[in-house]
Amino acid sequence: MGSCIICGSSTDGEVCPIHEEDVAFIFEGDSPHQLTPNRYYRGTVDGFADFGVFINIGDSVTGLLHRNELDQRIESLDWEVSDTVYVQVKNIRDNGNVDLGWSVRQAVNEFRGSLVDTPNGDLRRDDDRSEDEETTQQDEETTQQESEPSVEPDSTDVESQTSSEEVSQDGPASPIEQESDDQPEPDTSSEQSGRDFEIATISSLSDRVNDAVRVEGEVTGVRQTSGPTLFEVRDETGTIECAAFEGAGVRAFPEIDVGDYVRLDGVVEYRHDDIQVETETILQLAGEERDAVAGRIESAISEAVRPDQVTYPIEDDPASVLERDIHEAATVIRKAIKNARPVIVRHAATIDGYAAGAALERAALPLIREEHSRSDAEYHYFKRRPLDNFVYGMSSVTGDVSNALETCERYGERKPLMVLVGVGSTNEAKDAFEMLDVYNINRVVIDDTRPADDITSAAEAVVNPHLVEATNEQLTTTAMSTAVAATINDEIADDLQHLPAISYWHDGVLAYETAAESAGYDQDYRRQLKDALALEAHYQSYNDKRELIQNLLFGKVDDLVAHIAEQSRERLETSLQPARENLSRKESGGVTFLKLDTDSFTHRFDYPPTELLLDELHRQEQTEIGGPLVTLGYGTDELHVRSTETIDLQAIVDRASEVVPSVSGVGGKDGYVQFLSGVREDALDAIVGAIANEVGSQ
C-alpha cells in the first residue's frame, strides 16, 4: 500500500483513482493492450489525414486522434510531425486500434504530476524527464535558492524534495498536497481532519478552488464510475458534482440517494476544466434541518424559473393569442432544467417537427450548461428524439418509459419531463399518458393538431391554438415552439426569427415571412432550407442529428444548404412526374377526387416520403382545378387525404366505418385512415362517398 502522489491518500499504486486523470503518463510498453483507458499520455505527432491525426504513444504504439475529438479544425492545429503532445486514451479495440481524445493540457507542467506507465506497473520518474519538465524544475530550484539560505540537505531531504517537485508543478499546492509525506495519513472525516469547513453556495465555488467548504443541498444524481462515486448536488444557486472515493468502483456513502437533502464537506478542485468537490463526508439531513434546506431551494427555484414576461421572436407575433399557455409551458421546462430533471423532446420527423424541436434545443442547452458543472450536461439533461410515427402512442411511450427506468436505475437520475412537440393531442396519446402517470412522468404538449376530448387535462402545460378563441392566423407547431423557446431563454430570441416561416411547406403567414426577410432569410434561401430540412428529416428519422440540424437552421452554411436542397428537389421532381401521370380522376358531388396508388408510385423507404409527395402533388394540381379538390393517396391498408376544403376526417371515418367496420382513423396534423387490405376497394368507396357528402353540403 502506497500514497497517492497528488493527495497522499492510501492507494495500491502511485496515484489514487480520483487523481489518475490529473497525471501525465509516459508509456514504456510495447502493446496497445497495455495502455490504460482514460489516462492522459505523452505522445508525438506521427502524421496527418483528413479524418484526424496519428499519434505515437511510446515507441511501439500508434493511435488516432479523430477530427471529431479536436476542439478546432485540423488545418488550424500548430502541430508538426515529431512534436510532443498530450492525448487521452479513450478506447483500445480488440484489433489493437487505439482511439484517442483531445487534451486541453499540452505541457507536462499543466498536469499535477507525471508517472511512467510500464508493463510491471507505474513508476515515479527519475532521469527520463522531458525538456519542459526539466526547465520547470530548474526554475523552481533557482527561485528556492534565491529565497532560502543554503543548507546541505541529507539524503532524506533530497528524496522528499524530489518527490514534491514531481507532484506539484502547476502552482500552489492544495491543503492536501501541503501535508508532509512522513506524517500519518489524515482521517477522512470532517470532524477529525482539523479543517474548518466554511458554508458556501455552489455558485461561489469557482472562486474557492482548494478551499475546504460545506455545501447544503439536494442530491439530484448519483453515478458510479470505475473509480469514485459522483454525487450531483444542487442548492438554490446551482449544481455541482462531488466525488467520493471508497474504493475503485465501490459505492461511497451507499445510504445517500437521489432526492436526499445533505450536508457535504469537501475540498474544491478543478478536474478537466470543471469545478468539482472532493468529498470527505456526507450527512443526510432530517427533520427541521431538511425542511429548512428544502424550503430554501424550492422558494429560490420557484422565483427563478418563472419568466418575467413572454418573449416573442418577432414583433406582433400571431402566437401572442396563446400568451398565458406559452408562459406556463416555458416555466415548466425552465423548472425541469433547474431541478436537474432531464428534458426529453419528442417530435414528428417532419420539417415542422424538426424546426420546432430545434428551437427548444437552442433555448435549453445554454441554460443547462450554466446550471450544471458536468462537461457532458447538455447531452445528459436534454434529449431530442424524433418519432417514427405521426402520433405519440403505446409504441413510443413504451420505449420512453423503459429508457427512463433504466436511466434512473443505472445512473441515479430523476425521471424526465416529456415535451411532446407536434404530437400528443390525439386519442392515441390517451393510453400513452396513462402509462406515464403510472410512473409519475410529467409532460408538456405543444401541438397545432385539434385535440381529442379531455386530452389537454393530462399535461402540466398545453399550447394549442384550438384551445383559444378562433384566430384567422394558421399557427404551426414551430410558430408556437419558437415563442416558448424565446421565453425559456430570451437571449436566443433573435436566432429564431426565421423558423416559423420555414415550417409552412407553402402558403405561409405574412408576419412570419416578413420577419424571416428582415433576419436575412430571403424567399429563395427559405425554399432551399425547407427542401434541405425535409430531406434530412426523412433519413435516419429516429436520430436527432443535433449538430447537422443546428448547422442547417442556424449556421447559414450556404454550400451545405444548397447541396442538400438540390438533392431534395431533384428526388421530389423525379417522383412527381410518374405520380401525376398515374393519377386517377373522379367527380362526385361537385368534388374532384384524385387518387394515387402510393404502393406503386412512391418509395417505401427512400425520399420523398408519401406524405410530402402528396403535399406537393396536391398543391400543383389545385392550381389547375378551380373547384373543390381532394387528393387521396392509398396503400395496402392506409389512406392519406389532402383537401382544399375544410373536412372533419374523424367524422368521415365514423360514417365510412358504418359501411366498412374495419375503417379507423389515426390522429395527427393531417391524419390518415386505416383499413384491412382485403376490403380496400370497399373502404375507398365508403370514404369517397363520406367526403363528397361533407364537402357538397358546405
Side-chain angles (χ1 to χ4, degrees):
M1 184 68 69
S3 299
C4 174
I5 65 171
I6 303 296
C7 65
S9 63
S10 297
T11 183
D12 290 336
E14 296 291 338
V15 61
C16 70
I18 292 180
H19 289 104
E20 191 171 60
E21 295 182 12
D22 290 332
V23 173
F25 288 89
I26 291 83
F27 183 60
E28 291 190 349
D30 55 12
S31 168
H33 298 290
Q34 294 170 339
L35 292 164
T36 301
N38 298 322
R39 282 184 172 182
Y40 288 84
Y41 286 90
R42 186 180 73 184
T44 57
V45 177
D46 184 59
F48 297 86
D50 292 340
F51 49 83
V53 185
F54 292 102
I55 307 293
N56 292 329
I57 308 296
D59 297 329
S60 306
V61 176
T62 299
L64 173 65
L65 179 62
H66 196 274
R67 63 184 180 187
N68 291 341
E69 294 287 339
L70 295 169
D71 68 346
Q72 57 189 293
R73 301 175 71 88
I74 292 178
E75 53 268 26
S76 66
L77 288 171
D78 59 358
W79 293 351
E80 296 182 0
V81 174
S82 298
D83 279 357
T84 297
V85 296
Y86 290 86
V87 291
Q88 186 181 32
V89 170
K90 305 281 285 188
N91 182 41
I92 301 101
R93 305 191 186 191
D94 292 341
N95 62 3
N97 289 346
V98 180
D99 299 326
L100 302 176
W102 172 257
S103 171
V104 296
R105 297 171 289 189
Q106 286 299 321
V108 72
N109 60 359
E110 294 175 355
F111 292 85
R112 297 180 61 185
S114 61
L115 291 170
V116 179
D117 185 339
T118 77
N120 297 321
D122 300 333
L123 302 175
R124 301 197 183 198
R125 304 183 62 192
D126 294 323
D127 298 328
D128 184 28
R129 297 188 180 94
S130 62
E131 182 177 344
D132 58 345
E133 190 176 11
E134 290 176 352
T135 301
T136 301
Q137 182 176 348
Q138 291 170 3
D139 291 343
E140 292 175 350
E141 291 173 348
T142 301
T143 303
Q144 184 177 9
Q145 290 172 0
E146 291 175 351
S147 59
E148 297 181 359
S150 177
V151 178
E152 186 68 22
D154 60 24
S155 59
T156 302
D157 291 338
V158 171
E159 182 179 353
S160 175
Q161 177 180 336
T162 302
S163 175
S164 174
E165 289 168 351
E166 288 174 346
V167 172
S168 181
Q169 301 185 33
D170 60 347
S174 68
I176 295 178
E177 290 173 294
Q178 291 174 349
E179 296 173 359
S180 173
D181 288 344
D182 57 3
Q183 291 180 352
E185 290 182 323
D187 191 293
T188 57
S189 67
S190 58
E191 291 82 0
Q192 301 179 34
S193 64
R195 294 196 187 93
D196 292 327
F197 291 91
E198 184 177 346
I199 293 180
T201 60
I202 289 173
S203 63
S204 70
L205 297 185
S206 59
D207 298 324
R208 305 201 59 172
V209 177
N210 293 333
D211 285 355
V213 298
R214 170 169 292 171
V215 174
E216 293 182 337
E218 181 186 9
V219 177
T220 57
V222 180
R223 183 161 54 97
Q224 183 60 55
T225 71
S226 59
T229 305
L230 298 179
F231 295 90
E232 187 172 68
V233 178
R234 64 136 184 194
D235 67 3
E236 64 271 25
T237 68
T239 304
I240 191 73
E241 267 199 347
C242 307
F245 186 72
E246 179 68 25
V250 178
R251 174 71 147 84
F253 301 103
E255 72 279 8
I256 304 298
D257 209 344
V258 173
D260 288 343
Y261 289 84
V262 299
R263 177 178 297 127
L264 183 148
D265 292 344
V267 177
V268 183
E269 292 197 355
Y270 265 116
R271 284 186 61 78
H272 309 307
D273 294 328
D274 291 329
I275 294 293
Q276 187 177 88
V277 176
E278 294 205 8
T279 305
E280 296 202 0
T281 63
I282 306 179
L283 174 66
Q284 183 177 348
L285 300 178
E288 293 182 357
E289 287 186 316
R290 179 197 181 281
D291 294 343
V293 175
R296 188 172 69 234
I297 293 175
E298 181 60 29
S299 176
I301 288 178
S302 296
E303 181 178 351
V305 300
R306 183 165 290 276
D308 294 333
Q309 61 183 11
V310 172
T311 302
Y312 297 102
I314 71 170
E315 295 182 3
D316 301 321
D317 195 322
S320 61
V321 296
L322 303 168
E323 182 162 313
R324 183 191 65 182
D325 298 334
I326 289 169
H327 188 272
E328 187 62 27
T331 300
V332 174
I333 295 172
R334 283 167 57 94
K335 187 172 184 178
I337 294 172
K338 194 74 173 177
N339 281 337
R341 188 180 300 280
V343 176
I344 311 296
V345 174
R346 301 290 262 145
H347 62 80
T350 61
I351 296 174
D352 193 26
Y354 268 91
L360 297 173
E361 185 175 72
R362 188 79 167 180
L365 296 187
L367 300 185
I368 291 171
R369 286 192 287 265
E370 291 175 6
E371 186 67 29
H372 300 281
S373 60
R374 290 180 55 173
S375 59
D376 62 347
E378 63 186 82
Y379 294 93
H380 192 67
Y381 288 104
F382 188 98
K383 298 180 178 68
R384 181 170 53 77
R385 296 175 183 161
L387 289 167
D388 55 4
N389 204 338
F390 293 95
V391 296
Y392 188 74
M394 287 303 297
S395 175
S396 302
V397 75
T398 299
D400 289 341
V401 168
S402 296
N403 288 334
L405 295 178
E406 181 181 358
T407 302
C408 291
E409 180 67 25
R410 293 182 61 185
Y411 305 114
E413 279 187 3
R414 294 185 161 201
K415 292 173 184 174
L417 171 71
M418 305 299 301
V419 181
L420 305 176
V421 177
V423 295
S425 295
T426 64
N427 279 315
E428 290 82 3
K430 289 183 177 180
D431 291 339
F433 284 4
E434 289 178 2
M435 178 172 277
L436 292 177
D437 285 335
V438 171
Y439 293 99
N440 296 317
I441 297 176
N442 296 325
R443 54 265 179 199
V444 170
V445 178
I446 307 172
D447 193 3
D448 60 4
T449 302
R450 184 174 295 278
D453 294 338
D454 301 326
I455 194 70
T456 56
S457 61
E460 280 196 272
V462 178
V463 185
N464 190 306
H466 300 284
L467 300 179
V468 300
E469 293 183 4
T471 173
N472 59 0
E473 302 286 4
Q474 179 61 45
L475 292 173
T476 61
T477 298
T478 299
M480 296 180 287
S481 292
T482 52
V484 174
T487 306
I488 291 172
N489 183 357
D490 58 9
E491 293 185 2
I492 55 91
D494 290 345
D495 297 347
L496 311 177
Q497 293 179 3
H498 64 292
L499 290 189
I502 69 171
S503 64
Y504 298 85
W505 185 245
H506 52 80
D507 300 331
V509 174
L510 180 60
Y512 293 132
E513 300 283 345
T514 302
E517 292 278 349
S518 300
Y521 292 80
D522 61 31
Q523 186 174 9
D524 289 341
Y525 190 83
R526 293 199 304 275
R527 179 73 262 173
Q528 287 187 330
L529 194 51
K530 291 183 213 181
D531 287 334
L533 189 56
L535 184 72
E536 293 304 334
H538 175 74
Y539 289 113
Q540 296 284 304
S541 59
Y542 54 85
N543 195 318
D544 67 354
K545 302 179 281 287
R546 177 182 287 188
E547 289 75 16
L548 176 58
I549 296 300
Q550 292 285 334
N551 281 339
L552 284 175
L553 292 179
F554 306 108
K556 293 283 284 194
V557 185
D558 295 350
D559 291 344
L560 175 66
V561 171
H563 173 70
I564 299 176
E566 183 179 3
Q567 292 185 40
S568 174
R569 184 51 55 176
E570 286 179 355
R571 297 184 186 196
L572 182 58
E573 294 296 339
T574 299
S575 296
L576 278 170
Q577 181 179 351
R580 296 189 68 178
E581 293 174 353
N582 289 276
L583 283 171
S584 63
R585 285 173 167 79
K586 178 180 179 179
E587 298 288 335
S588 179
V591 180
T592 300
F593 286 89
L594 302 178
K595 294 198 297 183
L596 178 69
D597 182 348
T598 55
D599 283 350
S600 300
F601 296 102
T602 63
H603 295 290
R604 185 177 180 186
F605 299 114
D606 207 354
Y607 185 84
T610 298
E611 298 77 20
L612 185 61
L613 179 68
L614 284 177
D615 284 341
E616 189 69 8
L617 187 64
H618 181 70
R619 184 186 68 82
Q620 292 186 9
E621 289 294 326
Q622 75 181 57
T623 61
E624 301 178 8
I625 299 174
L629 171 67
V630 175
T631 304
L632 305 175
Y634 62 91
T636 301
D637 58 0
E638 66 179 25
L639 170 73
H640 294 267
V641 181
R642 300 293 184 268
S643 175
T644 58
E645 312 303 310
T646 301
I647 61 174
D648 184 342
L649 187 61
Q650 189 56 51
I652 289 168
V653 167
D654 291 342
R655 292 193 195 98
S657 65
E658 294 175 359
V659 180
V660 182
S662 68
V663 171
S664 62
V666 178
K669 183 175 182 180
D670 295 309
Y672 62 98
V673 185
Q674 290 181 332
F675 42 78
L676 295 177
S677 60
V679 296
R680 183 174 72 173
E681 295 305 321
D682 292 339
L684 291 177
D685 290 342
I687 292 166
V688 168
I691 294 175
N693 288 335
E694 179 168 331
V695 174
S697 64
Q698 293 179 2

